[in-house]
Amino acid sequence: MAPSRSPEPDRGTVVTSSEAALLLDLAGESIVDGLDGRPPRVPRLEELPPELRREVGAFVTLTVDGSLNGCIGTIEGAGPLGQEVVRLARSAAFADPRLPALRREDLPRLAIEVSILSPFEPIAARSRGELLAALRPGTDGLLIAAGPHRAVFLPDVWDQLPDPDDFVDHLFRKGGLVPGTWPSNLTAQRFTTEHFERPFRPRA
């Protein structure tokens, strides 16, 4: 398991290595249950350590041979983290409309990543230039919204789009906005993630 914690302001408790391992185990079990046609096994609240009972934003990302094979998340906690990861893993494996459903033969080449979002921090930007100046490449995730348009990039996206101009342009396109424009009602918020990744392995 490879934990990675982006530099950020103090956000309180972070998960321990054993709690991170439990999240990854739960995600892996949920995927196997889906392949076997079983309903997801959601842990009871009392079975989870206190840190995994928090309601926080989270994403589950799946890669096969290093290529994206599913990424589903929520920017606001929809339930206790340890329970939500079960649902997100199932959706990432079989219900990401952009990518093919995971197959059993993919398991030996599968890696699972769980990302936990920090609280969102508004960016007081009144122009594209001010937004670019406020971003910390490689560290910040970014959420933009303007009317019905909304889009988010996790900090991991900097690996594919290291140039801030490209990062923002692609996020605008994802949200249905025209790159280079600045809607008068646009808002931007940044965040960081605490994320954990390891190759899939059956839970002992």
Side-chain angles (χ1 to χ4, degrees):
M1 178 179 62
S4 177
R5 294 172 181 165
S6 301
E8 59 181 278
D10 180 21
R11 53 169 284 226
T13 306
V14 294
V15 301
T16 65
S17 59
S18 62
E19 290 164 345
L22 176 57
L23 288 177
L24 292 165
D25 283 342
L26 291 170
E29 282 183 350
S30 181
I31 292 168
V32 172
D33 285 342
L35 289 170
D36 290 341
R38 293 191 297 265
R41 289 174 283 175
V42 180
R44 297 191 303 272
L45 193 62
E46 60 269 22
E47 295 175 327
L48 296 171
E51 184 65 15
L52 303 192
R53 300 177 191 175
R54 295 185 300 142
E55 295 192 11
V56 295
F59 279 73
V60 173
T61 303
L62 307 178
T63 56
V64 175
D65 286 335
S67 297
L68 184 66
N69 205 102
C71 181
I72 297 291
T74 174
I75 61 172
E76 298 174 350
L81 177 60
Q83 296 178 348
E84 192 69 1
V85 160
V86 173
R87 182 185 70 82
L88 295 175
R90 183 89 160 219
S91 295
F94 309 113
D96 187 333
R98 305 164 299 169
L99 297 159
L102 193 77
R103 305 165 302 171
R104 189 176 301 277
E105 54 264 38
D106 295 326
L107 291 180
R109 299 170 290 124
L110 172 67
I112 302 173
E113 178 178 325
V114 175
S115 299
I116 304 169
L117 277 58
S118 73
F120 284 78
E121 176 189 352
I123 299 175
R126 294 169 295 178
S127 68
R128 175 187 172 87
E130 290 183 357
L131 176 61
L132 291 172
L135 285 176
R136 299 171 294 179
T139 296
D140 288 332
L142 181 62
L143 168 68
I144 59 169
H149 303 282
R150 193 183 201 195
V152 63
F153 273 166
L154 295 177
D156 289 358
V157 175
W158 289 106
D159 294 339
Q160 289 76 48
L161 300 170
D163 180 81
D165 282 296
D166 290 341
F167 187 92
V168 170
D169 282 350
H170 279 76
L171 185 58
F172 267 54
R173 291 191 189 98
K174 181 181 179 183
L177 298 170
V178 178
T181 63
W182 189 263
S184 60
N185 60 342
L186 188 135
T187 60
Q189 300 179 73
R190 67 183 180 183
F191 61 95
T192 57
T193 59
E194 178 184 4
H195 59 270
F196 305 90
E197 178 180 5
R198 76 174 182 213
F200 167 80
R201 64 176 184 233
R203 190 174 181 183

